[in-house]
Amino acid sequence: MSYFGFLRRFKSAQFKGRSLRKISLFIGCFLSIVLVSWVVMAQSAPVVLRVLVPAPDAPPLTGIVQAFERQNPHIRIELVEGPNATNLVEDLYTSAFLLGDSPYDLINMDIVWTPKFAAAGWLMDLSDRVKPDELARFSPVDVEGGRYEGRLYRLPMRSDVGLLYYRKDLLEAAGLQPPETFDDLMKISKILQEQDKVPWGYVWQGRQYEGAVAMFVEVLKGYGGFWIDPKTDAIGLDRPEAIQAINFLRSTINEGISPPGVTTYQEEDTRRFFQSGQAAFLRSWPYVWTLANAEESKLRGKVGIQPMVHAAGKESGACLGGWGLGISKTTAHPKEAWKAVQFFTSVDPLRDFVLKEGYTPSIWQFFNDPEMVSRYNHFPQMQEVVNNAVLRPPIAQYAQASDILQRYLSAALTDRMSPEEAMQRASGETRRLLGVKG
Ligand code: GLC
């Protein structure tokens, strides 16, 4: 190679080296800028807490969620709408947990889920985070519903009790008193139906799902019976009271008081039925009050509310329901999740929530709070009902026990099995589930 040739090559290599250096410098700067902006963005992007709720519960929750997000701009709550039936929502949470890390940070829990979720180890133990005076704000039964084996896993947002709604306007016009007993309810229904005041007498939740179990424990209590006594492990389903309870429900259909479709109805089906003026009586939860009295409701101001009817000489039974919050053990955001739970279960946010939605309060003082009572004058009476409400058994195998009852109750209500046979089988399966002899 000539001297000049060598010089040319040397210079061009020098040039290439320089431009390579420049290019790498440029790429380096670019990547650092991307990295820094990514870190900054990641720091300022809000933490998202996901929670699965039954679909009808999502709209009422938006107000309190927005209030929380205004106070905590770095946290977002994503309400994921699940099915209407609580047991189907529970199934979704269960499969999410069984598949590994739950995609939900907050667990919006029906009162009957706590023992199972806690026993499975899916929930954070909140016992040491809540001071006794903070717990004392809530109705004791609602706090109990969040405990399992002495530890606390759920804080109550709202309570719930089954009640009887009636058409005050129709009863008053006919000069009739609200019913006290199952017989009264049947008689009044027949009178109003015969007078063509209303096509049907009574609607209740008869579909094969958790709502039917909640409804059934009330009728059962109204005949003096019980389902499972967790203290003694006694099973009450094959006792005469359970058969009487089923016979009462069947008679409402057979005597034309309840529409035959009632065995497929969930809460919202029954509410729409009642609210469209098709029945004189409805068994449901307190959320119905607000909707039945909404401005656009044709029943506004025409509805009365009272404890459930019962057999003569027996006591009224109201099923204790209610929803509260727990935290998934696998959440990546435990600090933010706890902040959310604290907010959603504290007095001021709950005051607005209950005032707007008419839910059964979990905060004890709300039942007699003047502002609450002026809007919901049934609240003081509801406090009594909450106090004496019937608990569904707080056992870890609750979902299976309820599933057994749902299946056999539905078979008996739809005439696929006699009440006696259905309850014999339900008792047998429940005893086997709980490992009880007898
Ligand atoms: C209500 C009650 C809940 C119950 C459910 C049944 O949501 O709060 O406890 O399990 O109804 O449908």
Side-chain angles (χ1 to χ4, degrees), residues 86 110-112 158 160 209-211 214 267 285 320-323 392:
T86 169
D110 190 344
I111 192 161
V112 285
R158 64 178 175 96
D160 232 355
Y209 82 123
E210 182 61 31
E267 281 87 352
W285 308 95
L320 184 74
W323 292 80
R392 284 163 286 173

Side-chain angles (χ1 to χ4, degrees), residues 224-245:
F226 67 97
W227 172 15
I228 297 169
D229 180 347
K231 288 198 191 98
T232 60
D233 268 347
I235 313 292
L237 294 182
D238 50 2
R239 299 190 184 197
E241 298 86 1
I243 310 300
Q244 287 164 1

Side-chain angles (χ1 to χ4, degrees), residues 320-367:
L320 184 74
W323 292 80
L325 288 173
I327 302 176
S328 159
K329 229 184 195 169
T330 58
T331 176
H333 311 292
K335 213 172 74 208
E336 289 82 1
W338 174 236
K339 211 169 198 175
V341 171
Q342 278 179 302
F343 183 92
F344 292 130
T345 57
S346 55
V347 175
D348 290 338
L350 283 183
R351 165 179 293 281
D352 297 341
F353 182 56
V354 171
L355 269 174
K356 186 157 169 286
E357 304 300 336
Y359 286 137
T360 319
S362 58
I363 304 281
W364 194 238
Q365 78 196 43
F366 286 176
F367 285 106

